[in-house]
Amino acid sequence: MKICAFIPARYAATRFPAKLMQQLGSKTVIRHTYDNTLATGLFDEVYVVTDSDIIFNEITSHGGKAVMSKKNHESGSDRIAEAVADLAVDIVVNVQGDEPFVKREPLEQLLRVFEGEQGKTVQVASLMQIMTDQRQIEDPNYVKVAVDKHMNSLMFSRSVIPYPRSVETSTVYYEHIGVYAFRKQALLNFTNWEMTPLEAAEKIECLRYLENGIPLKMVVTDYMGIEIDTPEDLARAAKLVG
C-alpha cells in the first residue's frame, strides 16, 4: 500500500497572511511542517502543494519536494486532489501547512484505522484532541467535532458543540486537528462534489463529506502542538522551539 503525505500551502491566508513564511526559530513555519512530516518515516513521498512561488522555492531550495497548483482552489483537499490525480497512491495524508509540530505517533494512529477488515470500510480519517481551555472551546478559530460511540464524526462546527444545556452532564469537547487521511478515490470524489451548505456557512471543508453521507473516522491524539492561525499562535509556538 503506497502512502504519501501532501502539505497544502496557500500563501495568502485570510486571517494571517504569509503565516507559512513566518520565522519560527531557525526555520519558517512551512519548513518545520515539511521536515517534521518527512522525519516521521511513515511516507513513501512527502510533497508541499502550493500556489506560491515563494513557498515553492522555500521548500525546493532546501532539498524538499514541492508541486505548483495549476488552478485556484477552495480548500486544501481540492489542491491536493489536483496533485494526486495522476499518481499511483493508495492512501493520501493531508498535513496542514500550519501544523509545524507534526509527530510520528499521531500520524501512525491515523494510518492504522485503514488496516484490517474494519479498515476496509474507512474512506476518510482525521485527528482530534480533547479541549479543556474554556476560552478555546468558545473561540470560533478552534473547530470542534462531535462523534458517535464508534468515533465517527457527527458534526464539525466553530460553535460550541455539544452545547452544555445540562449542567449535570459531564461534557467532553474535542478540537478537530486539520490532518486528514483519505483513500485516493474518496479524495477525488470530494473534488467532484459542489460546495455544500454547511461547509459554506462554517468554512470547514470536511463538512462536505458529512453532507454527502461519508463520516470521518476520528482518532484521539494527546498532543499535536500549536496550529498557526494568528500572530498570537506564532508567539506561543515560538516558546516551544526556544
Side-chain angles (χ1 to χ4, degrees), residues 1 6 8 32 41 43 50 66 78 87 118 135 143 188 192 222 234:
M1 187 161 64
F6 289 81
H32 277 287
F43 305 107
T50 184
D78 288 311
L87 291 181
Q118 287 187 326
R135 290 173 300 176
V143 174
L188 296 181
N192 289 323
D222 291 334
L234 185 66

Side-chain angles (χ1 to χ4, degrees), residues 130-140 142 144 158-164 171-173:
I130 293 173
M131 306 181 76
T132 56
D133 186 325
Q134 190 62 36
R135 290 173 300 176
Q136 292 180 358
I137 292 169
E138 296 172 2
D139 187 340
Y142 292 84
K144 277 69 71 174
R158 298 184 184 279
S159 299
V160 178
I161 55 168
Y163 182 80
T171 304
V172 178
Y173 294 97

Side-chain angles (χ1 to χ4, degrees), residues 22-33 35-36 98-103 223-228 232-242:
Q22 298 298 313
Q23 203 69 22
L24 183 59
S26 62
K27 304 177 188 177
T28 56
V29 170
I30 188 61
R31 275 190 59 213
H32 277 287
T33 305
D35 289 349
N36 288 337
D98 55 11
E99 295 277 359
F101 299 102
V102 177
K103 296 190 299 183
Y223 180 70
M224 276 295 291
I226 297 170
E227 183 177 333
I228 312 297
E232 292 75 22
D233 293 334
L234 185 66
R236 288 193 297 129
K239 294 176 182 177
L240 295 182
V241 298

Side-chain angles (χ1 to χ4, degrees), residues 3-6 43 91-95 107 110-111 179-182:
I3 303 171
C4 294
F6 289 81
F43 305 107
I91 303 294
V92 176
V93 176
N94 173 347
V95 179
L107 296 178
L110 186 64
L111 291 171
V179 177
Y180 303 92
F182 322 86

